[in-house]
Amino acid sequence: MIEDEVRHFARRIGADIVAFDREHPLNFRLDGRLQFCLEMRREDFLEGDDPRSSVPLDLILSLKVPLEDYDDVTLERFLSRSSAETVGIQPYTVGCSRGAMILMSDLPLEADAALIENTILKLKKQYEEIASYGR
């Protein structure tokens, strides 16, 4: 059960959580600077019968990092690496909100603590490699 796996993962990183469900996501920092969130997808209407469309998985792992206003160079760098054809380590989708860029990866509801941890580490590595590119 995903709630048990998230609790197990949370214990491994030293977080104490009361609940994990659609109303209670797991928010935490990695290395004291990278802000992550693991949450259950809320949009039940994403279920579809069209085989040409990709229906996201049940869990969203997001990494939120500050983004300066009008920093199109950084945003374009991450967008260019987010497609299935160019992704290097961990597939992700890019979003922007209130001075932050958000990298989001999907996880299955059957994920275990090890898959959650590995996905976090892969997304972190992907972020660091792209962020340092060209510097």
Side-chain angles (χ1 to χ4, degrees):
M1 202 165 149
I2 190 61
E3 293 84 1
D4 295 332
E5 292 297 327
V6 171
R7 279 191 200 93
H8 177 70
F9 166 74
R11 280 192 305 270
R12 289 173 65 169
I13 64 169
D16 186 25
I17 63 171
V18 175
F20 178 77
D21 54 33
R22 291 193 195 292
E23 305 303 319
H24 300 95
L26 174 63
N27 291 290
F28 59 96
R29 289 196 182 270
L30 190 61
D31 296 341
R33 61 184 179 88
L34 297 178
Q35 183 177 340
F36 284 89
C37 179
L38 179 64
E39 61 188 314
M40 290 186 172
R41 191 174 300 283
R42 294 177 187 260
E43 292 81 17
D44 297 329
F45 65 88
L46 290 174
E47 300 295 325
D49 296 327
D50 186 351
R52 296 171 293 166
S53 65
S54 173
V55 178
L57 298 174
D58 300 306
L59 299 174
I60 305 168
L61 172 69
S62 58
L63 167 58
K64 184 176 177 181
V65 294
L67 182 69
E68 296 293 326
D69 290 340
Y70 307 108
D71 185 355
D72 294 337
V73 172
T74 298
L75 186 56
E76 288 175 12
R77 188 179 318 139
F78 281 90
L79 282 168
S80 70
R81 298 279 301 273
S82 68
S83 75
E85 291 80 26
T86 61
V87 72
I89 298 170
Q90 179 63 40
Y92 64 87
T93 303
V94 178
C96 274
S97 176
R98 298 185 185 126
M101 178 175 63
I102 305 166
L103 307 182
M104 298 164 282
S105 284
D106 293 329
L107 288 168
L109 196 57
E110 302 80 30
D112 62 10
L115 177 61
I116 294 168
E117 186 171 343
N118 286 334
T119 304
I120 290 165
L121 295 174
K122 288 178 185 177
L123 191 59
K124 175 184 180 282
K125 182 176 180 183
Q126 180 98 343
Y127 165 74
E128 289 171 341
E129 285 181 2
I130 297 171
S132 67
Y133 181 76
R135 287 188 178 169

